[in-house]
Amino acid sequence: MSHFSWSRKIFPWHFVLKSNLAFTRKPSRFPSKQCCVNYFCAGLEQSTNYDSKMATLETLNFDNLALRSLPIDKELDNYVRQVSGVCFSRVQPTPVNSAKTVVYSSQAMSLLDLTEEELNRADFAEYFSGNKLLPGAEPAAHCYCGHQFGYFSGQLGDGAGLTPFSRQADGRKVLRSSIREFLCSEAMHFLGVPTTRAGSCVTSDSKIIRDIFYNGNAIREKCTVVLRIAPTFIRFGSFEIFKPIDSMTGRRGPSAGRTDIMVQLLDYTVNTFFPECAQYR
């Protein structure tokens, strides 16, 4: 997952291209109520009594708060490995061929102050496929852990192509699953279920091999990128990198025993997203 912190003058938001980008906004004098852990964000209390200047792709205000606040991998070479003692690795998104916009949500993109005119720009797909970086963006892949099929899987990670967390995979999504993710994300939001927003879906002529039914009949499918938007992409798995050895699988988090970094991550999360809780620590 490529994370970028982006600062809007009204509400704090991250957005992530999946093959991913993420951006954060800082709150200002306009209050917002947010409740989110990584992919989950609750409703915002939005005031209409403000003068908000709409942004262009060139004027998005990145502050890269997460990267300034949390430890980053010093290894700049991009190869698959266990990454210990850090929360992020700097990784450039892997380009795709002939990026094309499939769909976007103008309502979700308005959270970033982007107008319909900006969404219809000829270079929109280039930016939101990761082929081009938005001015001020600092791409990085987030290190986290999690459970799959009921078992602790150890180190995981998303990415716009190959990252240190790709394991044996290519870090890519395909068109069919990307459309499903886009539609389900926006549907959940409008049904009142707290979730991330889907900003855009961009496909390409780059192809990857996928065995859809796991029956040996693999086909070539189009690499596709979904833009996800949320106040933060810190999730439970962000803290599972500190998990000691799992009794069932024998796996452990890559930063097990690093209480110093765990406290640093906890302080960042509380101070940034739950400041009302800081007094109770």
Side-chain angles (χ1 to χ4, degrees), residues 9-154:
K9 70 176 182 179
I10 301 171
F11 296 123
W13 284 94
H14 275 276
F15 68 83
V16 170
L17 284 178
K18 229 175 138 73
S19 323
N20 303 318
L21 308 174
F23 302 67
T24 322
R25 309 173 174 189
K26 291 180 181 176
S28 70
R29 61 188 178 88
F30 300 102
S32 66
K33 291 182 179 178
Q34 73 221 20
C35 178
C36 64
V37 176
N38 179 42
Y39 276 41
F40 305 94
C41 58
L44 296 172
E45 181 182 319
Q46 182 169 355
S47 169
T48 58
N49 298 319
Y50 58 80
D51 178 21
S52 176
K53 182 179 180 181
M54 302 307 286
T56 67
L57 297 184
E58 289 77 21
T59 61
L60 291 173
N61 183 22
F62 290 86
D63 68 1
N64 300 298
L65 177 62
L67 299 183
R68 291 189 287 107
S69 304
L70 299 169
I72 302 175
D73 189 6
K74 293 182 180 179
E75 176 60 73
L76 298 180
D77 290 339
N78 185 11
Y79 62 94
V80 177
R81 62 190 186 277
Q82 285 288 297
V83 181
S84 62
V86 302
C87 295
F88 295 96
S89 293
R90 294 189 183 276
V91 179
Q92 296 296 313
T94 304
V96 294
N97 297 323
S98 304
K100 305 176 185 67
T101 302
V102 178
V103 65
Y104 60 77
S105 169
S106 57
Q107 288 176 306
M109 296 299 272
S110 69
L111 294 168
L112 309 177
D113 289 335
L114 293 175
T115 65
E116 196 82 20
E117 182 180 2
E118 288 297 299
L119 306 183
N120 284 296
R121 283 175 44 161
D123 56 355
F124 178 87
E126 288 295 296
Y127 282 112
F128 291 97
S129 65
N131 281 358
K132 292 182 178 180
L133 291 183
L134 292 160
E138 296 183 20
H142 179 41
C143 182
Y144 64 91
C145 292
H147 290 72
Q148 296 175 320
F149 311 107
Y151 297 94
F152 183 65
S153 299

Side-chain angles (χ1 to χ4, degrees), residues 263-274:
V263 171
Q264 186 177 355
L265 177 59
L266 181 61
D267 284 345
Y268 164 78
T269 303
V270 172
N271 293 336
T272 306
F273 305 106
F274 306 98

